[in-house]
Amino acid sequence: MFVSNVGLGRLVGLGWRQALLSFTMFGDLFEEDYSTVSDYQYGREKKLKTKGLEPPAPREFTNLSGIRNQGGTCYLNSLLQTLHFTPEFREALFSLGPEELGSFEDKDKPDAKVRIIPLQLQRLFAQLLLLDQDAASTADLTDSFGWTSNEEDFLDLTVAVKNVSSLEDALWNMYVEEEVFDCDNLYHCGTCDKLVKAAKSAKLRKLPPFLTVSLLRFNFDFVKRERYKETSCYTFPLRINFKPFCEQSDTDDLEYVYELFSVIIHKGGCYGGHYHVYIKDVDHLGNWQFQEEKSKPGMNLKDLQNEEEIDDDPLIILKAILLQEESNLIPVDQLGQKLLKKIGMSWNKKYRKQYGPLRKFLQLHSQIFLLSPDESTVSLLKNGSLQAESHFPRNDQHIFKTLTSESPGLNDGTSCPHWFDINDSKVQPIKEKDIERQFQGKESAYMLFYRKSQLQRPPEARANPRYGVPCHLLNEMDAANIELQTKRAECDSIDNNFDLHLHLGPHYHFLNGALHPVVSQAESTLDLTFDKRKTLGDLRQSIFQLLEFWEGDMVLSVAKLVPAGLHVYQMLDGDDLTLCELEIADGEDLFVWNGVEVGGIQIPTGSDCEPLLLNVLHLATSSEGEKCQQLVESPHVFPSNAEVGAVLTALAVPVGVLFINTTDPAGEENWVAIPKEDLKKTFREQGLRDRSSVLVQDSSDDNSLLLKQGKWFTGMNEVNWLQVQNLCELGSEEKQVKISATVNTVVFDIRIKAIKELKLMKELAENSCLRPIDRNGKLLCPVPDSYTLKEAELKMGSSLGLCPGKAPTSSQLFLFFTVGSDVQPGTEMEIIVEETMSVRDCLQLMLGKSGLPGDRWHLRKMDWCYEAGEPLCEEDATLRELMICSGDTLLLIEGKLPPPGFLKVPLWWYQPGGSPGHWKNHQDQRNGAPSPGGVWRAAATQGAPGDLHGEVSLRYLGDLEISEEATVAELKSQAMTLSSSSGFVIPSPAFLRAWTVERKRLGRLLRINRQQLRDYKLGRKTEICLEPLQEEENLGPQDVVLRTRMRLPGERAYAPCVDLVWDTARGWTAGSLRQRVAHFCSLPVEKIEIAKYFPEKFEWLPISSWNQQFTKRKKKKKQDNLQGAPYYLKDGDTIGIKNVLLEDDGDFSTDADDLGRGTPRRPSSHDALRERSRDLGCGATTPGRPRAPEASLSIHVRSFR
């Protein structure tokens, strides 16, 4: 039998036809058998589905890409990988251009001829070569050919396995042995028309460059009538000579020598299983390295010792890691992760104690490593990269080469072939001897691929995956890799970012044993998303930048919201530690403060003094001062480490007995007395927790509660009743009645019994409800009839009011509401609404009940401080969605809310009291004094001291509704359109400067005109002030605006203020500021003195370039930063300037300062000299801050011999 040759282009048909025959001939043979496939494969596929939005993982250490299994495509994946690792086929496919195949852009055109299958195959091969992902997808490819069969001629030697021990034996039987026709089995000759003796045989006439051999592993047993798989031993050579099986010719013997380069393996039985492939990497595209090999056999003992010493030298390890990067550039965080993978230990555990933090180590070796300005990325300097290897000792150079040999081609040996096991997505290196394991068994070879040994690859193709790939595919893969890197960076950021809730100390006050917001929770808290891999110092710096108004030291402490309020626990320390190392959790509450006091009060911190909110029950006192038999309940806050007896002190009970509420195993509540000796125990030791109940009995009252058998009583009768007051019929004789009950009594039964005993009309049974009465006599939310006393949380002895009207159903809400934010007890109105009602409908219903006209109203929920909280902005949301509950109080506030994404900003006009350099009102302040309430007289914190100490006016312009996406420049433009600003002549928005207004003073400067308002994180209560300028101003992000005033020589006064813009790009140092001021005043820098003014304390703090501090431990000069202590310099601060050529007494104060401090005495020259000497010797400190530690002075004297 003669077999014709098949060209290289026909191999495409081999892959498709084999794949299609696999599905059509063998039924469910190629269905995945999950029991025989490794857990890795299908666990990985399921994970991919759940994380579909995440980008694929990068390639693993082999630097080769697998193919994802679509379900039953493992055989196709193996064939595709074989074709891909046939470089001649791959390059022939890439050589087909648009002339032969068309393009994807024309596939929808009716007259265009586009061959989708080879185009998709080109793209798949390009992804396998160049795209940085662990596995490619064949979804587009399989969709393109739709699994339709197309018969083509190809070379496919099918050999028997049954009763044959090897491939050579099978070929011998097929192409060498002859079948003889004689005796009774003669051959009929067509030429002579006779039966003659003959011999029949088959020979291979011509061999192709690539030969495919299919092993008939699957057979049919006609006796058992079932299929089965041959698992007997069947060997095949790695190198085979086909000459004995071919026709005799003069062709060189080497033309018949073939080498094995791919083995498709089937694992499982004839009714199911899984395919993977062993492939020889002809072009050495992958990294053939075994991770489990720790040392090489050729290494001697000295080499191994040197390699162990490498781990002790971080310089060698870090250089080797950076040299493996394409651009020698890597984020510092990833450098630490790669170091962990290489040596199996993190930097902090192995090197930190000896070398310090990683960033510090990189800074100390600046001749080798180059850090970015923000210290987020690091790279090798060019000379450090070129001479990296030469810097190593000679005996370590071979180890350095080993460290840098993980990229493809660096450690590839030419002596042994590189084989890989490609199992769908997973790619692992194997050794050539591993092929012998596939000779027999349930996991054995199914198809063999041989290539001519004389086929040679060009040198430039070696370890070069870009070789032969068309330019358009190279560009497509490069763009895809950039997109993958971007998506991975985004996912990495999402995975490593967490939310922090920053509670700002200046917005809190200490009240009733805990911290509470001064205004509202939203105004006092900032939400910050931060990378948990960054350090505490990075977090602190970010908060400094976020809170431009912050003055003084900044301390971060872990806090927690407890029922009593906000409590501060441990202080965070260690700016070099990451947030992960500090065990900061997602959603953590952090308190930002000065570490000493809040609102002038030193607060307790730590878990020992955690505040407890206790419910204290005691007998009510009548208006005459006598005690009644009615219990009242009031909340009290105590520290956990306080003595239990503090309850008696808080209630002013000199001698008494305390009872705590306990629950027995049967679920019944009992009151147990605390022994007198246990009153010295702390609340924590006594087992009290938040919301625990404590009963106080005054021992001087004989008629009070007595203890009997662990339960409490009134007189001698056990308290098992509720007191119901008649609030339905005022004319009734009965005012109140006691109804006996247990914790399991239903409220409906109590109500009906109360109606009978109060002798009320029976009609009230259908139209009445019970409402608890608090200690202030206020009626609370009605209790549903179906509740038991335990479910309604009603305690024995409580007072209830029998009121007209039905209780709300389970789908309804009982709400209180009032007009305005000034809530007076007893003035609230009541309403019952459906919980599915929208905020808009609820607002209209409340307006109608209040008799208020108009639509310029909105709702706010009253917070726990009985103040107006956040507005209910989502008018279309239901009350249930906004978590409005029965018993909540809503406030009707005048003023329509801005639409979502908009701000309603009150605008003010800055009037600095006629200081020069500002545009004046052409109508002379609107021809008269402003209307009352239209002008604030604010302290001139940013204005000039001295003569203008008095006041700075802020004139109200009106409210401006503006989008959060608007820029600062757009805010200024819209403000100029207000009618109230028509009297001011401003050429353009560039002649305006925008500030926030905080506590009736200028706060932050909105310096960048192009920046959106959203970026400044303006709250709903933010107010903005506009300051007119004489010249256009476009401030940069590093520019700081200061108010400078020149000291008048011979007088204790200053000239009018002049604004100075200081570029802080080179640092916030005193020297930089002094140079800028000297240049601004046209004076030599050594002939001026400057000081910052603190208007709240009427004091000046000189700014000297000599006040750098020296620390004993580091012996290193520490540059001062004017943003920090003691200056806390910011926009709008006043800087006094003194010309020492004219006046050199060291005094910056004015007479007004002396009056403000209450010290009219003018300091003498001796006092000034002593003050200046103290500043130079000990470092400047903030006036009026006696708690600030003094800086030590270290003088180093060199030893001379």
Side-chain angles (χ1 to χ4, degrees):
M1 184 179 73
F2 300 96
V3 182
S4 62
N5 181 30
V6 177
L8 190 61
R10 293 294 183 91
L11 273 176
V12 181
L14 167 64
W16 307 144
R17 188 165 185 267
Q18 288 290 352
L20 295 172
L21 289 176
S22 302
F23 284 92
T24 56
M25 291 178 59
F26 298 101
D28 59 354
L29 176 60
F30 301 99
E31 293 295 326
E32 298 292 345
D33 181 2
Y34 291 85
S35 62
T36 61
V37 185
S38 65
D39 294 337
Y40 175 88
Q41 290 298 318
Y42 291 93
R44 185 71 167 266
E45 294 298 323
K46 292 178 182 178
K47 189 176 293 185
L48 283 171
K49 292 180 182 178
T50 58
K51 295 187 177 180
L53 297 179
E54 294 186 4
R59 300 190 180 205
E60 297 184 356
F61 69 97
T62 60
N63 201 41
L64 296 178
S65 175
I67 300 178
R68 282 190 287 275
N69 193 324
Q70 296 187 53
T73 61
C74 55
Y75 181 63
L76 174 64
N77 293 348
S78 301
L79 282 174
L80 290 173
Q81 289 283 16
T82 300
L83 295 174
H84 167 245
F85 278 94
T86 307
E88 291 81 3
F89 172 76
R90 184 178 66 237
E91 291 163 10
L93 179 66
F94 283 145
S95 67
L96 301 176
E99 297 81 8
E100 297 91 349
L101 305 180
S103 63
F104 283 111
E105 291 77 10
D106 301 333
K107 64 179 181 179
D108 295 329
K109 296 181 180 179
D111 298 334
K113 295 182 179 180
V114 182
R115 302 187 65 183
I116 301 297
I117 295 177
L119 286 175
Q120 291 288 6
L121 191 61
Q122 281 184 341
R123 177 174 290 176
L124 174 63
F125 282 6
Q127 292 176 355
L128 293 174
L129 285 171
L130 301 171
L131 198 57
D132 185 19
Q133 58 182 3
D134 62 343
S137 172
T138 58
D140 293 337
L141 179 63
T142 54
D143 290 343
S144 66
F145 58 75
W147 303 113
T148 59
S149 178
N150 185 15
E151 293 290 337
E152 293 191 33
D153 294 332
F154 60 93
L155 179 59
D156 180 10
L157 294 181
T158 303
V159 297
V161 175
K162 184 177 180 181
N163 300 325
V164 182
S165 60
S166 66
L167 175 62
E168 294 94 329
D169 291 346
L171 293 175
W172 188 272
N173 294 338
M174 293 174 62
Y175 302 115
V176 176
E177 290 187 351
E178 295 181 345
E179 181 181 358
V180 179
F181 298 91
D182 59 0
C183 299
D184 295 336
N185 187 25
L186 296 175
Y187 177 73
H188 180 269
C189 178
T191 303
C192 60
D193 195 21
K194 294 182 179 179
L195 294 175
V196 298
K197 292 183 178 181
K200 177 184 176 184
S201 64
K203 294 288 184 182
L204 300 176
R205 175 171 293 174
K206 192 174 182 180
L207 296 177
F210 304 95
L211 192 62
T212 304
V213 180
S214 296
L215 308 183
L216 293 178
R217 288 279 185 185
F218 303 99
N219 287 319
F220 188 82
D221 189 333
F222 288 94
V223 176
K224 296 182 179 180
R225 296 182 178 273
E226 64 180 9
R227 291 180 291 175
Y228 68 96
K229 178 181 177 180
E230 287 284 352
T231 59
S232 58
C233 181
Y234 189 91
T235 63
F236 47 88
L238 299 174
R239 189 179 179 93
I240 186 173
N241 189 340
F242 279 94
K243 187 172 184 179
F245 316 116
C246 297
E247 288 184 332
Q248 299 300 320
S249 66
D250 298 333
T251 307
D252 187 5
D253 290 353
L254 293 178
E255 289 290 332
Y256 297 97
V257 178
Y258 281 71
E259 294 180 348
L260 184 71
F261 77 96
S262 177
V263 181
I264 293 181
I265 300 159
H266 179 262
K267 179 180 181 181
C270 62
Y271 292 101
H274 179 68
Y275 286 91
H276 61 109
V277 61
Y278 285 179
I279 288 183
K280 181 179 179 181
D281 185 8
V282 178
D283 279 346
H284 289 200
L285 299 176
N287 178 29
W288 193 68
Q289 181 181 6
F290 295 90
Q291 290 181 319
E292 67 273 10
E293 292 184 357
K294 300 299 181 182
S295 61
K296 296 181 179 179
M299 278 191 175
N300 55 32
L301 180 60
K302 184 177 180 181
D303 292 336
L304 292 175
Q305 292 174 350
N306 290 334
E307 187 172 5
E308 293 174 358
E309 293 173 0
I310 291 296
D311 286 348
D312 297 328
D313 190 349
L315 193 61
I316 299 177
I317 302 291
L318 296 178
K319 281 183 180 180
I321 293 174
L322 285 171
L323 283 174
Q324 294 176 26
E325 301 297 319
E326 292 183 5
S327 59
N328 290 342
L329 179 69
I330 187 175
V332 176
D333 295 333
Q334 291 187 17
L335 179 63
Q337 296 173 4
K338 288 182 178 290
L339 177 72
L340 174 63
K341 291 182 180 179
K342 182 168 288 294
I343 66 175
M345 193 176 297
S346 67
W347 174 276
N348 288 340
K349 288 187 178 180
K350 187 168 182 65
Y351 300 118
R352 181 184 176 90
K353 187 175 182 180
Q354 182 177 359
Y355 298 100
L358 177 58
R359 283 183 173 85
K360 178 182 176 183
F361 180 82
L362 298 174
Q363 291 172 350
L364 293 176
H365 294 82
S366 58
Q367 73 279 10
I368 300 175
F369 305 107
L370 177 63
L371 279 169
S372 61
D374 59 355
E375 298 185 356
S376 62
T377 60
V378 63
S379 61
L380 278 177
L381 290 173
K382 291 184 178 179
N383 57 348
S385 176
L386 294 174
Q387 301 175 5
E389 186 174 344
S390 62
H391 288 170
F392 292 105
R394 290 181 178 271
N395 57 348
D396 290 339
Q397 287 190 9
H398 72 283
I399 301 177
F400 174 77
K401 292 178 181 179
T402 301
L403 290 172
T404 59
S405 63
E406 292 187 2
S407 56
L410 292 179
N411 67 331
D412 291 346
T414 57
S415 58
C416 56
H418 295 180
W419 283 83
F420 292 92
D421 177 11
I422 304 181
N423 194 342
D424 287 337
S425 301
K426 187 176 181 181
V427 182
Q428 293 288 341
I430 60 171
K431 297 180 180 179
E432 199 170 52
K433 63 181 181 180
D434 294 333
I435 300 176
E436 298 177 1
R437 296 183 303 185
Q438 309 303 330
F439 288 165
Q440 61 185 348
K442 288 189 175 181
E443 183 177 7
S444 52
Y446 173 72
M447 184 173 287
L448 311 175
F449 295 84
Y450 286 90
R451 57 182 285 127
K452 278 191 175 181
S453 60
Q454 284 193 329
L455 291 176
Q456 298 295 326
R457 299 291 299 142
E460 56 270 20
R462 187 177 180 86
N464 182 12
R466 303 177 73 89
Y467 178 77
V469 182
C471 291
H472 71 281
L473 287 177
L474 288 176
N475 296 333
E476 182 181 339
M477 294 304 111
D478 292 341
N481 279 324
I482 293 175
E483 184 180 357
L484 276 177
Q485 292 176 3
T486 304
K487 289 183 178 180
R488 287 181 185 134
E490 292 174 354
C491 286
D492 184 66
S493 175
I494 294 173
D495 292 340
N496 291 285
N497 282 359
F498 59 6
D499 295 328
L500 299 175
H501 307 299
L502 305 179
H503 300 265
L504 309 182
H507 293 188
Y508 276 81
H509 61 140
F510 190 74
L511 181 65
N512 293 333
L515 293 166
H516 301 280
V518 176
V519 182
S520 67
Q521 190 72 36
E523 294 291 333
S524 308
T525 307
L526 286 178
D527 292 334
L528 176 65
T529 301
F530 203 72
D531 191 337
K532 59 186 177 184
R533 297 168 298 180
K534 290 189 176 182
T535 63
L536 178 62
D538 297 333
L539 175 61
R540 197 189 313 275
Q541 187 63 32
S542 297
I543 298 176
F544 259 124
Q545 296 174 359
L546 187 64
L547 307 177
E548 296 183 2
F549 63 86
W550 190 270
E551 294 185 1
D553 296 331
M554 177 182 288
V555 175
L556 303 179
S557 299
V558 175
K560 182 181 178 182
L561 287 169
V562 296
L566 184 71
H567 181 65
V568 178
Y569 292 85
Q570 74 271 19
M571 185 183 301
L572 296 179
D573 191 19
D575 280 3
D576 294 332
L577 298 177
T578 65
L579 301 187
C580 288
E581 293 171 334
L582 291 172
E583 297 181 352
I584 302 297
D586 187 15
E588 192 84 75
D589 291 286
L590 297 183
F591 190 62
V592 186
W593 61 315
N594 59 12
V596 179
E597 47 82 22
V598 176
I601 302 176
Q602 291 190 2
I603 64 171
T605 61
S607 57
D608 293 339
C609 56
E610 179 180 312
L612 294 179
L613 180 62
L614 302 179
N615 298 322
V616 180
L617 292 88
H618 56 93
L619 289 177
T621 304
S622 64
S623 57
E624 292 80 11
E626 298 180 356
K627 291 188 177 180
C628 308
Q629 290 299 310
Q630 180 179 351
L631 281 175
V632 295
E633 182 178 356
S634 58
H636 288 269
V637 178
F638 301 95
S640 300
N641 55 359
E643 294 180 355
V644 177
V647 177
L648 298 175
T649 305
L651 295 180
V653 177
V655 181
V657 181
L658 295 181
F659 300 84
I660 59 175
N661 187 268
T662 62
T663 304
D664 58 21
E668 295 290 335
E669 293 186 355
N670 296 322
W671 291 89
V672 179
I674 301 177
K676 186 175 182 180
E677 59 272 14
D678 288 348
L679 294 179
K680 295 292 184 181
K681 290 185 177 181
T682 66
F683 288 97
R684 192 179 299 277
E685 291 172 344
Q686 196 63 41
L688 293 174
R689 297 292 183 264
D690 281 308
R691 307 293 185 185
S692 294
S693 296
V694 177
L695 176 66
V696 179
Q697 172 185 324
D698 190 347
S699 59
S700 63
D701 190 354
D702 296 336
N703 248 345
S704 60
L705 304 174
L706 303 176
L707 180 67
K708 182 181 180 182
Q709 297 178 357
K711 299 184 179 181
W712 56 276
F713 300 84
T714 299
M716 294 305 295
N717 297 318
E718 183 180 358
V719 176
N720 56 357
W721 46 261
L722 294 173
Q723 184 169 280
V724 180
Q725 298 182 17
N726 176 19
L727 301 179
C728 290
E729 298 179 10
L730 299 179
S732 175
E733 297 179 358
E734 301 292 339
K735 299 297 182 182
Q736 60 185 22
V737 65
K738 291 182 180 179
I739 305 297
S740 59
T742 65
V743 293
N744 296 318
T745 304
V746 180
V747 174
F748 174 78
D749 297 336
I750 296 176
R751 184 169 64 86
I752 298 301
K753 193 172 182 180
I755 293 175
K756 292 180 180 179
E757 295 193 12
L758 289 171
K759 301 177 181 179
L760 300 176
M761 294 184 299
K762 295 182 180 180
E763 289 78 5
L764 287 175
E766 301 295 331
N767 190 28
S768 63
C769 62
L770 290 178
R771 298 177 61 179
I773 304 175
D774 67 2
R775 62 180 183 275
N776 297 319
K778 178 183 177 181
L779 287 172
L780 303 181
C781 179
V783 182
D785 282 345
S786 59
Y787 280 22
T788 64
L789 296 186
K790 187 174 183 179
E791 292 172 341
E793 299 182 356
L794 293 175
K795 297 182 179 180
M796 294 299 176
S798 299
S799 293
L800 301 176
L802 181 64
C803 304
K806 293 184 178 181
T809 64
S810 58
S811 64
Q812 291 178 327
L813 299 176
F814 183 92
L815 302 176
F816 298 97
F817 71 97
T818 185
V819 180
S821 57
D822 187 14
V823 182
Q824 298 295 331
T827 62
E828 301 98 333
M829 290 175 277
E830 303 167 355
I831 192 171
I832 296 178
V833 296
E834 295 291 333
E835 62 180 0
T836 57
M837 178 177 288
S838 67
V839 174
R840 180 182 289 104
D841 295 339
C842 181
L843 173 62
Q844 295 301 321
L845 198 61
M846 290 180 177
L847 287 174
K849 194 167 184 179
S850 305
L852 296 174
D855 58 351
R856 301 190 61 82
W857 295 85
H858 67 274
L859 286 177
R860 291 176 182 261
K861 183 179 178 181
M862 189 174 69
D863 59 17
W864 61 275
C865 294
Y866 299 96
E867 297 177 352
E870 284 295 300
L872 306 183
C873 301
E874 303 178 25
E875 294 186 343
D876 293 328
T878 64
L879 299 177
R880 180 173 56 189
E881 292 172 345
L882 297 181
M883 292 183 290
I884 304 297
C885 304
S886 286
D888 286 346
T889 301
L890 300 183
L891 306 179
L892 284 167
I893 305 297
E894 190 171 8
K896 193 171 180 62
L897 289 174
F902 281 74
L903 295 173
K904 190 175 183 180
V905 182
L907 289 179
W908 296 84
W909 188 263
Y910 180 74
Q911 296 174 320
S915 58
H918 292 75
W919 288 87
K920 296 183 179 179
N921 191 329
H922 282 227
Q923 296 185 15
D924 296 332
Q925 299 296 335
R926 306 186 70 85
N927 300 322
S931 59
V935 174
W936 276 348
R937 295 294 179 181
T941 56
Q942 279 80 13
D947 298 336
L948 297 180
H949 253 309
E951 293 175 339
V952 170
S953 297
L954 297 179
R955 180 170 180 174
Y956 179 65
L957 295 180
D959 293 341
L960 177 65
E961 191 172 293
I962 190 170
S963 170
E964 292 180 339
E965 297 180 355
T967 62
V968 176
E970 293 170 343
L971 169 70
K972 297 175 182 178
S973 299
Q974 295 187 34
M976 293 171 58
T977 63
L978 294 176
S979 59
S980 55
S981 63
S982 59
F984 303 99
V985 179
I986 304 296
S988 72
F991 287 81
L992 289 176
R993 185 184 292 159
W995 303 80
T996 61
V997 179
E998 298 168 2
R999 300 176 185 175
K1000 300 187 180 181
R1001 292 176 177 172
L1002 300 188
R1004 286 189 295 162
L1005 174 62
L1006 311 183
R1007 55 168 50 84
I1008 303 177
N1009 286 326
R1010 298 186 305 273
Q1011 194 160 359
Q1012 292 182 344
L1013 300 179
R1014 176 179 296 168
D1015 298 334
Y1016 287 102
K1017 300 185 183 302
L1018 303 177
R1020 292 189 175 273
K1021 296 185 179 181
T1022 301
E1023 302 182 7
I1024 291 180
C1025 173
L1026 299 177
E1027 176 186 0
L1029 305 174
Q1030 190 172 5
E1031 297 179 353
E1032 290 190 17
E1033 181 177 77
N1034 289 299
L1035 298 176
Q1038 303 292 333
D1039 291 338
V1040 177
V1041 176
L1042 300 174
R1043 316 282 193 188
T1044 63
R1045 301 204 65 188
M1046 180 64 73
R1047 178 89 167 185
L1048 299 177
E1051 304 180 25
R1052 303 192 74 206
Y1054 289 86
C1057 68
V1058 181
D1059 288 350
L1060 176 144
V1061 178
W1062 173 35
D1063 185 2
T1064 61
R1066 296 185 178 181
W1068 285 71
T1069 62
S1072 174
L1073 177 59
R1074 286 173 56 84
Q1075 289 180 1
R1076 178 68 183 97
V1077 173
H1079 181 268
F1080 183 73
C1081 299
S1082 301
L1083 291 173
V1085 67
E1086 65 273 7
K1087 298 302 180 183
I1088 65 169
E1089 288 186 3
I1090 59 176
K1092 180 194 168 179
Y1093 185 60
F1094 290 86
E1096 297 87 353
K1097 300 174 182 178
F1098 301 95
E1099 296 189 3
W1100 295 82
L1101 180 61
I1103 300 176
S1104 172
S1105 57
W1106 294 97
N1107 61 352
Q1108 290 140 345
Q1109 303 173 4
F1110 292 83
T1111 60
K1112 292 183 179 180
R1113 293 182 60 187
K1114 298 186 178 179
K1115 309 294 182 183
K1116 180 181 177 182
K1117 185 169 68 175
K1118 180 181 178 182
Q1119 294 288 340
D1120 56 345
N1121 188 324
L1122 298 182
Q1123 280 184 296
Y1127 300 104
Y1128 310 110
L1129 199 64
K1130 64 182 184 304
D1131 289 299
D1133 281 345
T1134 299
I1135 301 296
I1137 308 171
K1138 182 182 292 188
N1139 187 347
V1140 298
L1141 295 174
L1142 303 177
E1143 187 178 16
D1144 189 17
D1145 59 357
D1147 178 32
F1148 280 89
S1149 299
T1150 65
D1151 293 336
D1153 292 330
D1154 294 340
L1155 292 175
R1157 293 194 302 265
T1159 55
R1161 183 183 67 85
R1162 177 176 178 176
S1164 64
S1165 59
H1166 177 73
D1167 294 334
L1169 179 61
R1170 182 175 59 187
E1171 180 70 13
R1172 187 178 179 190
S1173 300
R1174 182 181 64 83
D1175 289 343
L1176 294 176
C1178 300
T1181 58
T1182 308
R1185 291 173 63 97
R1187 291 188 298 272
E1190 296 183 356
S1192 61
L1193 174 66
S1194 300
I1195 302 177
H1196 302 277
V1197 181
R1198 181 168 298 183
S1199 176
F1200 296 94
R1201 295 181 180 178

